Amino acid sequence: RLLHKWTALRSSAAYEHHEQVASLAAASAPNLAFACQHGGSECAGNAWEACLQDMYPDEGAFFPVVDCIEKMGCAEGELPPAPGTFAQPGDCAGLPAQVAPGCVVDHGKGVMDGQALQQCVFGVPTTGLQVPRSTVLLLQNALATAKLGTSRQWVPWLTLNDEPVSKNDKEFNQMFLIGSKVCEIYKAKTGKEPPAQCSKFIKIAPEKDFYAAFGDSPAAEPLIKKHGLHNHTSNDPPTPES
């Protein structure tokens, strides 16, 4: 469940950086285009998720909606079940941008402003050139990614305290220890015992069949089946889908 938590801009330095990015976005707007690994629909979904995290930075608020978009959104080239057919676990319901408004209604806990989110994603109609807030946020994300330089080997690329969880293919299995690693850092930084949930995270990295470490979890099985990740026995790491 780990997602990077966006927080409100509090320090003047952070605010100044935001203003610089916004100015860059405005200056580049006529020629600014984003390319995503899985196509334009992924970029559109990223815009929604960026606005959600920006406007509602508490993960208890934004995460259920983002989780819904990720589960219900169709990947590039994937189609939802045809009308009249039975949906199966793991089936998508539409493109990320198509399912996002419904996810806001269903999981926004009645506190999210759907119209304001759409204005963040698409901008406000105006007679002059107006850069949507989502464009600024995506540009911030792109610049943060660029700062990683050649250290980023794949996506998702996870870092803890600015250090990559796994640095190369041979360490790929360390990605599966993200939960226990977060708990270790929490204990080291706070001096407190980590939450009880930490006892459920695996502490030994799987050697071969990476996804077997999750057992027969009902929540994990549809994703494992959907992406053909079950029974991975090669020493080569699987290619993440997103």
Side-chain angles (χ1 to χ4, degrees), residues 8-26:
L9 296 169
R10 294 189 178 95
S11 69
S12 59
Y15 179 78
E16 288 174 5
H17 173 69
H18 165 74
E19 289 298 296
Q20 291 169 359
V21 173
S23 297
L24 176 60

Side-chain angles (χ1 to χ4, degrees), residues 135-155:
T135 298
V136 177
L137 296 173
L138 290 177
L139 188 56
Q140 284 180 324
N141 293 347
L143 293 174
T145 301
K147 283 184 66 176
L148 294 171
T150 57
S151 67
R152 182 175 63 85
Q153 302 295 313
W154 54 72
V155 291

Side-chain angles (χ1 to χ4, degrees), residues 40 47 63 65 85 113-114 122-123 135 156 171 179 186 197 214 216 223 233:
F63 183 82
V65 183
T85 61
D113 187 333
F122 302 110
T135 298
E171 295 181 1
Y186 172 86
Q197 178 66 31
F214 293 103
D216 296 321
L223 185 63
T233 56

Side-chain angles (χ1 to χ4, degrees), residues 19-230:
E19 289 298 296
Q20 291 169 359
V21 173
S23 297
L24 176 60
S28 307
N31 302 307
L32 186 61
F34 295 97
C36 295
Q37 181 181 4
H38 299 108
S41 63
E42 182 179 34
C43 288
N46 288 348
W48 272 94
E49 294 180 5
C51 284
L52 281 161
Q53 293 179 71
D54 180 63
M55 294 178 62
Y56 303 95
D58 184 271
E59 64 258 13
F62 78 74
F63 183 82
V65 183
V66 170
D67 189 43
C68 172
I69 295 172
E70 291 291 332
K71 287 180 178 178
M72 301 297 291
C74 296
E76 200 75 11
E78 186 180 18
L79 297 174
T85 61
F86 290 102
Q88 301 296 320
D91 282 346
C92 64
L95 296 176
Q98 293 173 328
V99 302
C103 287
V104 170
V105 172
D106 293 341
H107 301 279
K109 302 178 181 178
V111 299
M112 290 188 173
D113 187 333
Q115 182 177 0
L117 279 165
Q118 294 215 28
Q119 290 177 346
C120 174
V121 174
F122 302 110
V124 181
T126 177
T127 55
L129 177 64
Q130 193 264 352
V131 180
R133 171 73 175 156
S134 61
T135 298
V136 177
L137 296 173
L138 290 177
L139 188 56
Q140 284 180 324
N141 293 347
L143 293 174
T145 301
K147 283 184 66 176
L148 294 171
T150 57
S151 67
R152 182 175 63 85
Q153 302 295 313
W154 54 72
V155 291
W157 186 249
L158 303 182
T159 61
L160 290 176
N161 290 342
D162 296 323
E163 288 294 323
V165 175
S166 50
K167 297 182 177 65
N168 52 56
D169 287 354
K170 291 182 179 180
E171 295 181 1
F172 183 85
N173 59 356
Q174 295 298 307
M175 298 270 281
F176 294 88
L177 300 183
I178 185 69
S180 59
K181 288 178 182 290
V182 169
C183 294
E184 290 170 3
I185 292 174
Y186 172 86
K187 183 175 182 178
K189 281 195 169 185
T190 66
K192 301 177 182 179
E193 286 300 313
Q197 178 66 31
C198 288
S199 64
K200 299 181 181 180
F201 294 129
I202 61 173
K203 296 179 174 58
I204 300 176
E207 291 295 329
K208 293 184 178 180
D209 190 356
F210 296 152
Y211 292 88
F214 293 103
D216 296 321
S217 166
E221 186 60 29
L223 185 63
I224 292 171
K225 181 179 180 181
K226 177 179 178 180
H227 295 294
L229 300 174
H230 208 40

